[in-house]
């Protein structure tokens, strides 16, 4: 995906910062809103160049819907993985089979790669050690399939179907 | 061995001496003399909810001016000690995509939150110094994640100076209007704002905004000075 225009990137940064401000102050007092808007405009002017490359394209309805749907999906994966690790810790024989596997990702954007790496790390049992281009090096507590394709199918693919739409 | 035993003995003696002195102060009892005056009058006299910032900026503004000066001297001192003709970042390992992208996403939020802290200094805990330190963290993040990052020096140093001068200027305006340095002319003379809203607190938010900007740029400058190494040509 190419770089969006400066105006679009700036506007996107301002919108995101203003939303954060609204959550932060949790008040609809006009004074707070005005100061928040001013601050979003100022901070946005200084930081939009590093904050975003896609600009307003990030706010397409399809992406937002997928992003909202991703939250419960990810939380569920996190709960299940936590229970799985708790089972391994409490089990008298400690059934672990650790190892480092390599995965491939289909994600192109850096933000998508960051989201995938964090999703993998936050679901216990798998930890992202390093990301290099489209290769992920992952420490897996229970290696079921050491091949690149097999590991990708098990670890990265479940998240990718969402993240591919959200971040590209 | 002898040295250590002597040191431990000395520390024990000092500790006992201090504990003995503090034992005379009853815990939890009302011993406030001037403190009660601050708590009773802070809203009406300064317009601020946060009594700490009201004391620090308003009742005892000279101390804060002194602290800002100390920080400025620290920054100048570091600059003077580490001064070399040619300085460069010598870091060689660029962070992974996780670190760099995460930093890019976080920096605007950190700066926004730092500004939130110093803008709400008269209402919530915090003020100019924590807010400024938070903003400096954003620049520290950039320094840590990118091997080639540099703060825009010219803009930063000028902003720092202008913010410091504006603080003194606000105090001097007070001198002209109210008769003494750091007189709160915005609250005492003009009565702007209602207590509890963002637009209140007299000159506390104004001064904290200036302090926040000053501290933020100053600490970033210190980071910049310390992270670079001199290179021989």
């Amino acid at each position: 995906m190419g770089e969006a225009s400066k105006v679009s990137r700036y506007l996107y940064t301002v919108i995101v910062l203003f939303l954060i401000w609204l959550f932060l102050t949790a008040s609809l007092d006009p004074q707070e809103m005005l100061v928040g808007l001013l601050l979003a405009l100022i901070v946005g002017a200084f930081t939009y160049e590093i904050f975003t490359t896609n600009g307003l394209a990030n706010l397409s309805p399809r992406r937002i819907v997928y992003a909202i749907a991703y939250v419960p999906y990810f939380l569920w994966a996190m709960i299940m993985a936590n229970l799985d690790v708790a089972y391994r810790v409490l089990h008298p024989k400690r059934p672990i089979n650790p190892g480092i596997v390599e995965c491939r990702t289909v994600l192109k954007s850096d933000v998508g790669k960051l989201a995938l790496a964090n999703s993998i790390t936050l679901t216990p049992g798998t930890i992202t050690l390093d990301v290099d281009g489209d290769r992920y090096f992952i420490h897996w507590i229970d290696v079921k399939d050491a091949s690149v394709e097999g590991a990708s199918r098990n670890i990265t693919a479940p998240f990718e179907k969402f993240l591919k739409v959200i971040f590209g | 061995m002898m040295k250590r035993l002597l040191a431990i003995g000395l520390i024990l003696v000092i500790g006992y001496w201090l504990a003995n002195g503090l034992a005379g102060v009853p815990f939890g009892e009302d011993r406030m003399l001037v403190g009660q005056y601050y708590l009773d009058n802070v809203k009406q006299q300064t317009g601020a909810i946060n009594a700490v910032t009201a004391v620090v900026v308003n009742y005892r503004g000279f101390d804060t001016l002194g602290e800002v000066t100390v920080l400025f001297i620290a920054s100048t001192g570091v600059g003077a000690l580490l001064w070399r003709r040619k300085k460069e970042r010598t870091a060689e390992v660029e962070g992974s995509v996780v670190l760099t992208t995460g930093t890019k996403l976080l920096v605007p939020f950190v700066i926004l939150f730092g500004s939130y802290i110093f803008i709400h200094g008269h209402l919530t805990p915090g003020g100019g110094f924590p807010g400024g330190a938070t903003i400096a963290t954003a620049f520290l993040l950039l320094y840590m994640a990118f091997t080639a990052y540099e703060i825009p020096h010219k803009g930063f140093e000028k902003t720092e100076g202008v913010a410091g001068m504006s603080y003194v200027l606000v105090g001097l305006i007070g001198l002209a209007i109210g008769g003494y340095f750091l007189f709160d002319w915005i609250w005492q003379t003009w009565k702007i704002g209602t207590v509890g809203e963002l637009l209140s607190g007299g000159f506390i938010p104004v001064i904290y905004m200036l302090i926040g900007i000053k501290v933020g740029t100053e600490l970033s400058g210190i980071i910049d000075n310390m992270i670079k190494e001199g290179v021989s040509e």
Side-chain angles (χ1 to χ4, degrees):
Chain A
M1 201 170 294
E3 208 160 272
S5 73
K6 281 193 165 184
V7 180
S8 144
R9 288 159 68 196
Y10 177 56
L11 283 179
Y12 173 69
T13 314
V14 170
I15 290 170
V16 173
L17 286 176
F18 188 60
L19 283 176
I20 299 280
W21 178 269
L22 287 184
F23 279 112
L24 212 55
T25 55
S27 103
L28 292 174
D29 183 15
Q31 288 177 10
E32 296 272 6
M33 305 255 283
L34 189 69
V35 171
L37 188 64
L38 270 177
L39 213 63
L41 287 170
I42 295 169
V43 176
F46 283 115
T47 55
Y48 78 95
E49 278 175 49
I50 59 167
F51 183 60
T52 174
T53 49
N54 286 343
L56 288 172
N58 282 332
L59 292 176
S60 75
R62 192 169 133 82
R63 287 185 161 175
I64 293 175
V65 168
Y66 265 75
I68 293 171
Y70 182 65
V71 174
Y73 176 83
F74 170 70
L75 284 178
W76 180 248
M78 200 160 108
I79 292 168
M80 292 316 285
N82 271 297
L83 291 176
D84 179 63
V85 171
Y87 167 77
R88 280 173 213 282
V89 171
L90 296 173
H91 197 283
K93 279 189 191 147
R94 256 198 322 156
I96 55 171
N97 173 28
I100 294 171
V101 292
E102 186 189 331
C103 293
R104 298 286 163 126
T105 179
V106 295
L107 298 176
K108 296 279 181 294
S109 76
D110 280 350
V111 186
K113 285 177 189 168
L114 171 72
L116 179 59
N118 283 344
S119 301
I120 289 170
T121 303
L122 283 169
T123 46
T126 46
I127 291 174
T128 311
L129 299 177
D130 199 9
V131 181
D132 182 18
D134 68 338
R135 295 152 76 206
Y136 277 67
F137 298 95
I138 291 162
H139 183 273
W140 200 358
I141 203 170
D142 176 31
V143 178
K144 294 186 191 114
D145 194 340
S147 73
V148 175
E149 295 77 25
S152 307
R153 200 165 51 243
N154 268 308
I155 299 173
T156 57
F159 298 120
E160 270 175 350
K161 57 188 173 191
F162 282 90
L163 295 178
K164 202 169 164 356
V165 183
I166 302 172
F167 299 111
Chain B
M1 195 63 201
M2 206 51 214
K3 248 187 188 170
R4 267 191 205 167
L5 279 178
L6 264 175
I8 290 170
L10 193 65
I11 286 168
L12 284 176
V13 169
I14 294 175
Y16 175 74
W17 182 41
L18 283 177
N20 223 11
L22 287 174
V25 183
F27 183 75
E29 272 176 43
D30 193 2
R31 296 275 293 183
M32 287 194 292
L33 301 170
V34 71
Q36 197 59 50
Y37 175 82
Y38 287 143
L39 291 181
D40 291 341
N41 296 304
V42 67
K43 276 191 198 169
Q44 173 235 335
Q45 284 184 343
T46 67
I49 303 278
N50 185 342
V52 176
T53 50
V55 170
V56 165
V57 177
N58 216 317
Y59 290 113
R60 304 194 163 189
F62 266 115
D63 291 4
T64 307
L65 192 59
E67 276 170 33
V68 171
T69 317
V70 165
L71 212 59
F72 174 71
I73 292 171
S75 158
T76 322
V78 169
L81 280 175
L82 299 174
W83 187 82
R84 280 194 202 87
R85 202 170 280 279
K86 200 164 155 59
K87 291 213 307 185
E88 266 173 26
R89 303 274 320 264
T90 47
E92 272 163 10
V93 187
E94 187 88 33
S96 80
V97 70
V98 177
L99 179 67
T100 52
T101 321
T103 305
K104 284 179 180 176
L105 289 181
L106 269 178
V107 162
F109 297 151
V110 175
I111 295 181
L112 184 81
F113 185 59
S115 320
Y116 169 85
I117 294 176
F118 67 64
I119 283 176
H120 288 84
H122 55 302
L123 301 172
T124 58
F129 291 94
T134 312
I135 290 177
T137 329
F139 292 100
L140 178 64
L141 265 176
L142 285 172
Y143 268 111
M144 291 298 175
F146 300 98
T147 53
Y149 181 77
E150 284 222 27
I151 53 169
H153 286 276
K154 282 202 172 142
F156 259 53
E157 277 143 25
K158 286 198 180 103
T159 319
E160 185 192 328
V162 168
M165 281 195 317
S166 310
Y167 184 7
V168 178
L169 196 68
V170 171
L172 285 176
I173 294 174
L175 185 67
I177 294 179
Y180 58 94
F181 190 58
L182 290 174
F183 171 78
D184 189 350
W185 42 283
I186 297 179
W187 180 255
Q188 303 267 18
T189 319
W190 296 354
K191 290 276 176 203
I192 292 178
T194 30
V195 178
E197 280 182 11
L198 190 57
L199 187 69
S200 71
F203 68 10
I204 295 175
V206 176
I207 284 182
Y208 263 160
M209 214 173 332
L210 296 172
I211 292 181
I213 292 167
K214 188 168 160 61
V215 171
T217 47
E218 221 152 46
L219 294 181
S220 308
I222 292 181
I223 294 166
D224 174 77
N225 262 316
M226 297 189 112
I227 215 159
K228 285 199 212 155
E229 289 173 53
V231 284
S232 48
E233 330 221 342

PDB file of all heavy atoms in Angstrom, chain B residues 206-219:
ATOM      1  N   VAL B 206      -1.100  28.052  33.357  1.00  0.00           N
ATOM      2  CA  VAL B 206      -0.197  28.744  32.426  1.00  0.00           C
ATOM      3  C   VAL B 206       1.248  28.413  32.769  1.00  0.00           C
ATOM      4  O   VAL B 206       2.047  28.013  31.908  1.00  0.00           O
ATOM      5  CB  VAL B 206      -0.428  30.270  32.512  1.00  0.00           C
ATOM      6  CG1 VAL B 206       0.558  30.999  31.625  1.00  0.00           C
ATOM      7  CG2 VAL B 206      -1.848  30.614  32.144  1.00  0.00           C
ATOM      8  N   ILE B 207       1.578  28.542  34.054  1.00  0.00           N
ATOM      9  CA  ILE B 207       2.961  28.294  34.467  1.00  0.00           C
ATOM     10  C   ILE B 207       3.318  26.826  34.286  1.00  0.00           C
ATOM     11  O   ILE B 207       4.417  26.491  33.831  1.00  0.00           O
ATOM     12  CB  ILE B 207       3.159  28.742  35.925  1.00  0.00           C
ATOM     13  CG1 ILE B 207       3.239  30.261  35.968  1.00  0.00           C
ATOM     14  CG2 ILE B 207       4.413  28.136  36.528  1.00  0.00           C
ATOM     15  CD1 ILE B 207       3.484  30.828  37.313  1.00  0.00           C
ATOM     16  N   TYR B 208       2.360  25.934  34.581  1.00  0.00           N
ATOM     17  CA  TYR B 208       2.681  24.521  34.424  1.00  0.00           C
ATOM     18  C   TYR B 208       2.851  24.138  32.970  1.00  0.00           C
ATOM     19  O   TYR B 208       3.636  23.242  32.645  1.00  0.00           O
ATOM     20  CB  TYR B 208       1.624  23.660  35.107  1.00  0.00           C
ATOM     21  CG  TYR B 208       2.062  23.251  36.489  1.00  0.00           C
ATOM     22  CD1 TYR B 208       1.156  22.824  37.439  1.00  0.00           C
ATOM     23  CD2 TYR B 208       3.396  23.293  36.843  1.00  0.00           C
ATOM     24  CE1 TYR B 208       1.563  22.464  38.700  1.00  0.00           C
ATOM     25  CE2 TYR B 208       3.815  22.938  38.098  1.00  0.00           C
ATOM     26  CZ  TYR B 208       2.900  22.517  39.026  1.00  0.00           C
ATOM     27  OH  TYR B 208       3.319  22.156  40.261  1.00  0.00           O
ATOM     28  N   MET B 209       2.117  24.819  32.097  1.00  0.00           N
ATOM     29  CA  MET B 209       2.319  24.551  30.678  1.00  0.00           C
ATOM     30  C   MET B 209       3.755  24.925  30.285  1.00  0.00           C
ATOM     31  O   MET B 209       4.446  24.164  29.602  1.00  0.00           O
ATOM     32  CB  MET B 209       1.311  25.346  29.868  1.00  0.00           C
ATOM     33  CG  MET B 209       0.860  24.621  28.647  1.00  0.00           C
ATOM     34  SD  MET B 209      -0.475  25.402  27.749  1.00  0.00           S
ATOM     35  CE  MET B 209      -1.398  26.308  28.882  1.00  0.00           C
ATOM     36  N   LEU B 210       4.182  26.102  30.759  1.00  0.00           N
ATOM     37  CA  LEU B 210       5.545  26.543  30.437  1.00  0.00           C
ATOM     38  C   LEU B 210       6.572  25.593  31.051  1.00  0.00           C
ATOM     39  O   LEU B 210       7.553  25.198  30.400  1.00  0.00           O
ATOM     40  CB  LEU B 210       5.766  27.965  30.961  1.00  0.00           C
ATOM     41  CG  LEU B 210       4.883  29.032  30.310  1.00  0.00           C
ATOM     42  CD1 LEU B 210       5.030  30.353  31.025  1.00  0.00           C
ATOM     43  CD2 LEU B 210       5.244  29.180  28.852  1.00  0.00           C
ATOM     44  N   ILE B 211       6.348  25.213  32.330  1.00  0.00           N
ATOM     45  CA  ILE B 211       7.302  24.308  32.984  1.00  0.00           C
ATOM     46  C   ILE B 211       7.329  22.966  32.266  1.00  0.00           C
ATOM     47  O   ILE B 211       8.391  22.384  32.054  1.00  0.00           O
ATOM     48  CB  ILE B 211       6.940  24.122  34.467  1.00  0.00           C
ATOM     49  CG1 ILE B 211       7.157  25.422  35.233  1.00  0.00           C
ATOM     50  CG2 ILE B 211       7.783  23.023  35.088  1.00  0.00           C
ATOM     51  CD1 ILE B 211       6.844  25.311  36.705  1.00  0.00           C
ATOM     52  N   GLY B 212       6.141  22.472  31.885  1.00  0.00           N
ATOM     53  CA  GLY B 212       6.075  21.182  31.195  1.00  0.00           C
ATOM     54  C   GLY B 212       6.897  21.209  29.922  1.00  0.00           C
ATOM     55  O   GLY B 212       7.688  20.294  29.651  1.00  0.00           O
ATOM     56  N   ILE B 213       6.718  22.261  29.123  1.00  0.00           N
ATOM     57  CA  ILE B 213       7.465  22.364  27.863  1.00  0.00           C
ATOM     58  C   ILE B 213       8.956  22.472  28.156  1.00  0.00           C
ATOM     59  O   ILE B 213       9.788  21.812  27.521  1.00  0.00           O
ATOM     60  CB  ILE B 213       6.963  23.584  27.064  1.00  0.00           C
ATOM     61  CG1 ILE B 213       5.535  23.340  26.593  1.00  0.00           C
ATOM     62  CG2 ILE B 213       7.868  23.865  25.895  1.00  0.00           C
ATOM     63  CD1 ILE B 213       4.839  24.565  26.089  1.00  0.00           C
ATOM     64  N   LYS B 214       9.283  23.271  29.165  1.00  0.00           N
ATOM     65  CA  LYS B 214      10.699  23.479  29.496  1.00  0.00           C
ATOM     66  C   LYS B 214      11.344  22.181  29.970  1.00  0.00           C
ATOM     67  O   LYS B 214      12.403  21.789  29.477  1.00  0.00           O
ATOM     68  CB  LYS B 214      10.817  24.553  30.576  1.00  0.00           C
ATOM     69  CG  LYS B 214      12.235  24.971  30.856  1.00  0.00           C
ATOM     70  CD  LYS B 214      12.254  26.222  31.703  1.00  0.00           C
ATOM     71  CE  LYS B 214      13.581  26.393  32.396  1.00  0.00           C
ATOM     72  NZ  LYS B 214      14.697  26.511  31.463  1.00  0.00           N
ATOM     73  N   VAL B 215      10.690  21.506  30.909  1.00  0.00           N
ATOM     74  CA  VAL B 215      11.260  20.264  31.439  1.00  0.00           C
ATOM     75  C   VAL B 215      11.366  19.208  30.341  1.00  0.00           C
ATOM     76  O   VAL B 215      12.362  18.486  30.235  1.00  0.00           O
ATOM     77  CB  VAL B 215      10.420  19.756  32.621  1.00  0.00           C
ATOM     78  CG1 VAL B 215      10.857  18.368  33.031  1.00  0.00           C
ATOM     79  CG2 VAL B 215      10.533  20.697  33.805  1.00  0.00           C
ATOM     80  N   GLY B 216      10.321  19.120  29.514  1.00  0.00           N
ATOM     81  CA  GLY B 216      10.327  18.122  28.437  1.00  0.00           C
ATOM     82  C   GLY B 216      11.495  18.321  27.499  1.00  0.00           C
ATOM     83  O   GLY B 216      12.243  17.384  27.200  1.00  0.00           O
ATOM     84  N   THR B 217      11.695  19.557  27.031  1.00  0.00           N
ATOM     85  CA  THR B 217      12.788  19.807  26.095  1.00  0.00           C
ATOM     86  C   THR B 217      14.140  19.658  26.782  1.00  0.00           C
ATOM     87  O   THR B 217      15.094  19.163  26.187  1.00  0.00           O
ATOM     88  CB  THR B 217      12.659  21.223  25.500  1.00  0.00           C
ATOM     89  OG1 THR B 217      12.411  22.147  26.559  1.00  0.00           O
ATOM     90  CG2 THR B 217      11.524  21.303  24.522  1.00  0.00           C
ATOM     91  N   GLU B 218      14.183  20.059  28.082  1.00  0.00           N
ATOM     92  CA  GLU B 218      15.448  20.019  28.800  1.00  0.00           C
ATOM     93  C   GLU B 218      15.941  18.585  28.992  1.00  0.00           C
ATOM     94  O   GLU B 218      17.098  18.262  28.707  1.00  0.00           O
ATOM     95  CB  GLU B 218      15.249  20.657  30.167  1.00  0.00           C
ATOM     96  CG  GLU B 218      16.361  21.524  30.615  1.00  0.00           C
ATOM     97  CD  GLU B 218      15.826  22.578  31.550  1.00  0.00           C
ATOM     98  OE1 GLU B 218      15.038  22.242  32.454  1.00  0.00           O
ATOM     99  OE2 GLU B 218      16.160  23.731  31.365  1.00  0.00           O
ATOM    100  N   LEU B 219      15.033  17.727  29.505  1.00  0.00           N
ATOM    101  CA  LEU B 219      15.440  16.331  29.739  1.00  0.00           C
ATOM    102  C   LEU B 219      15.785  15.641  28.420  1.00  0.00           C
ATOM    103  O   LEU B 219      16.711  14.832  28.366  1.00  0.00           O
ATOM    104  CB  LEU B 219      14.336  15.572  30.467  1.00  0.00           C
ATOM    105  CG  LEU B 219      14.054  16.037  31.895  1.00  0.00           C
ATOM    106  CD1 LEU B 219      12.966  15.188  32.511  1.00  0.00           C
ATOM    107  CD2 LEU B 219      15.294  15.969  32.743  1.00  0.00           C
TER     108      LEU B 219
END
